[in-house]
Amino acid sequence: MSNKNSLALFAARNGIFMALIVLVAFFSLLNKNFLTFGNAENIILQSAELGIVAIPLAFLLISGSVDLSIGAVASAAAVTSGLVMAATQNTLLGIGAGLALGLVAGAINGFLVSYVKLNPIVVTLGFLSIWAGYAQLVTSGRTVQRSSLPEDFRSLGTASIGPVPLQIVLLAIVVVLGWYVLNRTRFGKETLAIGGNEKAAYLMGVSVQLRRFQIFIASGVAASITGMLLTAKVQSASPVIGTGMELAALTVVLLGGIAFEGGIGRISGVVAGLLFFKVLNNGLVFLQASAFLQTILVGATLVIAVALDSTIQEVVKKARRQILQRVTPKSDITTTAR
Amino acid sequence: MSLASAVVAPRLEFRNLTVDFGATRALNAITASIQPGEIVGLLGHNGAGKTTLFNVVAGANPATSGTFLLGYEEISQKITPREIASKGVTVLYQDPALTGNLSVLDNLYLAQLAPFSRPDRAQAAAALERVGSDLDLDQLVDTLSLGERQLVALARGLLGKDMKVLLLDEPTAALGLKETEALHSLIRKFAKEGVAVVYVSHRLPDILQVCQRIIILSAGEIVADGPVTDYDARKLARALAPGLLEVERSELVLGQALLSVKHAGTPLSFREGEVVGLFGMAGGEQFAILERLFGLKGKYSTVLSGLLLEVSNPLSAMKQGIHLVPADREKDGLISGMSAAENTFLPWYRTIAGRGWWVSRDTGNADYDSARERLNILGPTRASTIDQFSGGNRQKHLIARWMFVKRPKILLLAQPTQGVDVGAKADIVRAVRAMAAQGTIVIVASAESDEIASICDRSYILFHDHVRERTAAKGFDEQLLADLLDLAQPQPHSQPDLLQKN
C-alpha cells in the first residue's frame, strides 16, 4: 500500500518528464530528421520567448494568482519600442520605453489585484483587452516596418554570445534566476507560503501584498522583453505579435505541474512543460500538420493540462493523507515543491 | 440483550491483529473482544495505533496478519469500506465526510451499495428520527452545524439496516457542551439497543462519563484493559503518560520587564518570568487581546517597562520581539505542503540564511535539531512535509517556530495545547514554562480552564468588561471556572444585557 502511494506520488510529480521523453521518442520514430542537434537547438531557440514569460507566470500561479494580459503587454511593449525607435532611431531609448511599458502594466495589475484585492482573472483579462487595443490604436493597426527600425536593434534578432544565441542566453538566465529565487531565497519560500496558506503567511510577518505586487511587475517586465525579442526576431513590430501567448504560457506552466490553486511548483517542471509544448509544435510541423490544427492542439493541450493538474493535486493530496495516517511515515518521501 | 453470556459471540473481535507499514509495526497482535451493548473507550497517544485500528475495521486498511470478526463472520482482507458499512459498521469522525452542497436526503443515500438506489424519504426520516433529529430532508448540509452533520452521518449508518458496531473518532473535539451531551445520550441509547461502541477521545472526562470499559493502546499494543471503575481522570492521565503529573511550580523569579495592557479600563500586567493566563469564554475577549498585541487589529500602543510599545501589523510586532502562536494551527499556523524545516524557519529567513538571499537545505540545521530535542518532536526528518507529522508534533513545530529560532521578549500563546495528546501537552507545558523562567513574558489565552491551570502561575478571568485575577493554588482549575460563571451572572447594576433575559 505504501509503495503504491509513493509510486503514485512519484508519477504525479514527474509525469511531465516521462511524457516529454515519450513524445520525443514518438516523433523520432516517425521522422528520422527529428532527433538531430540542429532541430534540438531550433526547438530551444523557439522556446526562449515563451519560457521567459512562463517563469514569472509560474511564480504568480504558485502565489495563487494569474496574469492573462502577458500576450497583450508583449504586443504593447513591442509596438511602443518600435514606434519610439522609428521616431528617434535610438535603440536604447526604444528598449527603455518597452521595458517601462511592461513595468507600468505589471504595476497596474499588481496594484489592482494585490492592494485593491480585485479578482486577478478578471483584472488581467480586462487588461488583455486594454493593451491589445492600445497596440492597435497607437499603430492604427499597422506593423512598424523593418525599414524604420534601427540597424543595431535588428541585429539583436540574430545576435549570439559566443556560439549561443542571445534568446537562449536570456532564457537560461531567467530559468536559473527563477530556480534560485524559488528554492534558495526568502522571496521564493514566501511565495510558496502565500500560495499554500495566505493567512498563515501574513501571521508570520510575510508582506503578502508586496510580494504579489512584485511578482506582477516581474511578469509585466518579462512580457515586454518577450515582445521586443519577438520584434527583433521577425524584424518588425506587429500590434498582434504577442496574441495568444498567455494561453501558451498557461499551458506550459500547468503542464509543468504548477498547481492552479497555488502553493506547489518546481521550475524544472516548467522547463519540461515548455519543452513538451514546443516539441509538440515542432513535431507537428515535421508531420506537416495544418497551422489551424496546431491552434486547436494548443487549446486541447491547455484543457488536458488543467485536467492533469487537478488529477495530480488529487493524487498528491490522497497519497499525503494516507502517508499521514501511518504511524511513522517513511522519511524519504518529500512532497515539498523543490 | 444480556451482556456477554457464554453462547453469544462478541459483536467485534480482534484475533492477533497486526498491521505493518513498511518496517514500522503500527499494531502488534491485538486481541480483544467487544460485546453487544458495550461502550469501550480507546485511549492512547497520537501514533499509538487508534486510527489504524479504526481503519482496519472500516475497511480502509488491510491487516498484515491476524483477523477480526463481526459476530461469527470472519472479515476478509479485501473488504471495501462500502461493504463493511453494509454489514452495520459505522464510523463517526470529528468532521463527518458529507457533501456540503447536497441535501440531507442526498447525503444519506450517497454511500449506498446499490448504485441507483432511489432515496426513500420515509426511510430517511425514520433514520433521522432514531438519532433524535427533526432536520428537514431537503436542507443543504452546508447550512448545518457540526453537531447536526454528525447526526446525519449517524443516521446514514441506520439506513435500511441495523447498526452493529459504532466507532467514534474524536467526535466531540469541536462540539459545545450541549451537543456533546446530546451525542453521549445517543451513544448510550444505541448501546442499549445492542450496538458495540468504541470511543476515541482526548477528552478524558468524556470517556469516564460514557464508557464502561477502557482499553489503552501504546505503541501498537494493548497495555491496559479494564472496567471504567478502575480509573479516574488522574489515573488515566498517568496511564497515558507515565511520569506526567501536576506542573512543578518552583519559586517564581520575576524579572524587570513589565507589560501593561488595558482591558475595558482595567489594567492587566504581565511580568517577565511568569506565565499569565487570560481565561474566558470560547471566542472571547482573551483572544482579541492577543491579536491587538500582535498588531492584527491595526495600530496599537501599550507600555512595556515604562516605554511606549507600538505595533501596527505582525511584522512590526515580530521586530519588537512579540511572537504569537495562533489557536488554529492548520488554518492560521502551518503551511501544508512545505517541509517541517521551512515551516519552522519561514518568519526568520530575513535574519538567518544570508538575510534571506541563500536558503539552503542546511539553513537552521542546528536550531532545528535543538528545538526538536527540547520539544521532544517525533516523526520523520526535517525535510519531510509538515503534513507527515501527527497532530501533536505539528503543534510542536508551530511552537518551535515562535519560541526557539529567535527568542521572544513577549510570547503570546492561543490555546497552545488544544487537540494534542497528553504526552505532547506535557512537552509543550515544560518548554513554555522553561522559556518564562529564562526571562520572557508569557501570556496564554484559552477557553479551557484545565489548559490555563496546567501552564499558568496566575490568570485573569475575563467576561465582557469584567475582569478578575487569580493566582495558582490548589483547585486552580475549578476556581477559574467558578470565577467565570460568577462574572457571567447578570449584574444588578449593569446596563441591560442579553443575558438578563434568561
Side-chain angles (χ1 to χ4, degrees), chain B residues 189-433:
Chain B
K189 185 184 136 203
F190 284 147
K192 248 186 214 137
E193 293 168 4
V195 176
V197 182
V198 185
Y199 189 158
V200 166
S201 177
H202 278 131
R203 291 192 180 176
L204 298 184
D206 284 7
I207 296 284
L208 288 172
Q209 207 177 41
V210 183
C211 301
Q212 301 150 357
R213 176 179 152 201
I214 288 174
I215 295 179
I216 297 179
L217 277 180
S218 176
E221 294 185 22
I222 294 179
V223 292
D225 183 349
V228 72
T229 43
D230 286 3
Y231 303 89
D232 59 20
R234 188 167 295 244
K235 225 174 182 178
L236 273 180
R238 207 179 297 152
L240 283 167
L244 164 75
L245 278 173
E246 291 283 286
V247 196
E248 278 178 45
R249 288 212 167 74
S250 48
E251 197 120 326
L252 280 182
V253 184
L254 296 180
Q256 290 299 308
L258 171 72
L259 174 72
S260 314
V261 177
K262 273 219 161 91
H263 173 69
T266 316
L268 314 179
S269 64
F270 306 93
R271 257 191 192 287
E272 185 182 312
E274 65 175 342
V275 182
V276 181
L278 295 174
F279 174 59
M281 301 293 235
E285 294 78 7
Q286 69 272 34
F287 301 107
I289 292 176
L290 295 197
E291 285 173 7
R292 276 202 292 277
L293 280 169
F294 196 57
L296 287 170
K297 305 240 157 150
K299 270 201 179 24
Y300 180 70
S301 56
T302 182
V303 180
L304 176 62
S305 305
L307 297 171
L308 194 66
L309 178 76
E310 258 182 344
V311 294
S312 50
N313 56 41
L315 189 60
S316 75
M318 285 161 59
K319 284 186 172 156
Q320 299 181 71
I322 304 174
H323 297 181
L324 168 74
V325 174
D328 188 333
R329 67 170 169 264
E330 310 302 338
K331 224 170 95 239
D332 302 335
L334 300 169
I335 312 257
S336 156
M338 294 187 85
S339 74
E342 285 166 336
N343 265 289
T344 311
F345 294 117
L346 239 159
W348 312 119
Y349 285 140
R350 68 193 158 79
T351 51
I352 58 175
R355 299 193 151 264
W357 291 100
W358 189 259
V359 181
S360 79
R361 287 200 181 142
D362 297 329
T363 298
N365 238 339
D367 276 343
Y368 183 82
D369 290 343
S370 95
R372 200 165 162 136
E373 198 187 314
R374 280 198 262 183
L375 277 168
N376 189 24
I377 293 177
L378 305 174
T381 67
R382 67 197 296 279
S384 317
T385 51
I386 194 70
D387 316 66
Q388 294 180 42
F389 288 82
S390 67
N393 285 307
R394 286 207 293 279
Q395 179 72 14
K396 286 178 180 177
H397 274 94
L398 186 60
I399 291 194
R401 172 200 293 165
W402 294 112
M403 275 178 60
F404 293 131
V405 185
K406 233 180 128 225
R407 236 194 108 82
K409 263 194 242 160
I410 301 173
L411 179 62
L412 311 173
L413 302 151
Q415 318 226 112
T417 60
Q418 193 188 34
V420 306
D421 64 277
V422 185
K425 194 170 172 173
D427 292 330
I428 292 170
V429 169
R430 198 178 308 123
V432 167
R433 293 195 58 82

Side-chain angles (χ1 to χ4, degrees), chain A residues 7-211:
Chain A
L7 196 69
L9 207 58
F10 178 82
R13 300 190 68 237
N14 298 295
I16 184 63
F17 300 98
M18 298 183 241
L20 178 61
I21 292 169
V22 170
L23 193 70
V24 169
F26 175 73
F27 284 129
S28 312
L29 286 177
L30 287 183
N31 191 316
K32 60 177 183 302
N33 293 327
F34 181 80
L35 197 62
T36 58
F37 182 77
N39 194 39
E41 191 191 2
N42 190 22
I43 288 173
I44 295 174
L45 193 61
Q46 286 178 2
S47 309
E49 290 88 7
L50 190 54
I52 289 170
V53 286
I55 298 289
L57 183 63
F59 274 78
L60 273 177
L61 259 74
I62 289 171
S63 77
S65 198
V66 72
D67 184 355
L68 297 177
S69 71
I70 45 185
V73 171
S75 301
V79 296
T80 302
S81 72
L83 288 176
V84 169
M85 284 187 285
T88 63
Q89 289 301 305
N90 186 330
T91 300
L92 281 182
L93 200 61
I95 293 177
L99 289 176
L101 186 128
L103 188 92
V104 169
I108 296 174
N109 281 339
F111 176 76
L112 292 176
V113 172
S114 194
Y115 293 98
V116 189
K117 298 196 190 303
L118 301 181
N119 179 305
I121 294 180
V122 178
V123 166
T124 60
L125 201 55
F127 274 93
L128 183 159
S129 187
I130 290 171
W131 290 116
Y134 159 90
Q136 299 279 2
L137 190 69
V138 294
T139 56
S140 310
R142 283 190 293 271
T143 297
V144 182
Q145 294 301 331
R146 179 172 197 275
S147 51
S148 36
L149 295 176
E151 171 71 42
D152 42 350
F153 179 78
R154 279 185 284 135
S155 71
L156 284 178
T158 50
S160 57
I161 295 169
V164 190
L166 176 68
Q167 286 93 331
I168 295 184
V169 173
L170 286 177
L171 176 65
I173 291 174
V174 170
V175 167
V176 170
L177 198 66
W179 179 87
Y180 160 72
V181 171
L182 186 62
N183 299 296
R184 286 290 174 264
T185 67
R186 157 163 84 115
F187 190 104
K189 301 290 182 191
E190 292 186 353
T191 303
L192 283 161
I194 291 168
N197 187 341
E198 188 170 330
K199 178 141 185 246
Y202 176 69
L203 289 175
M204 282 188 263
V206 174
S207 312
V208 175
Q209 294 174 324
L210 180 64
R211 286 287 167 271

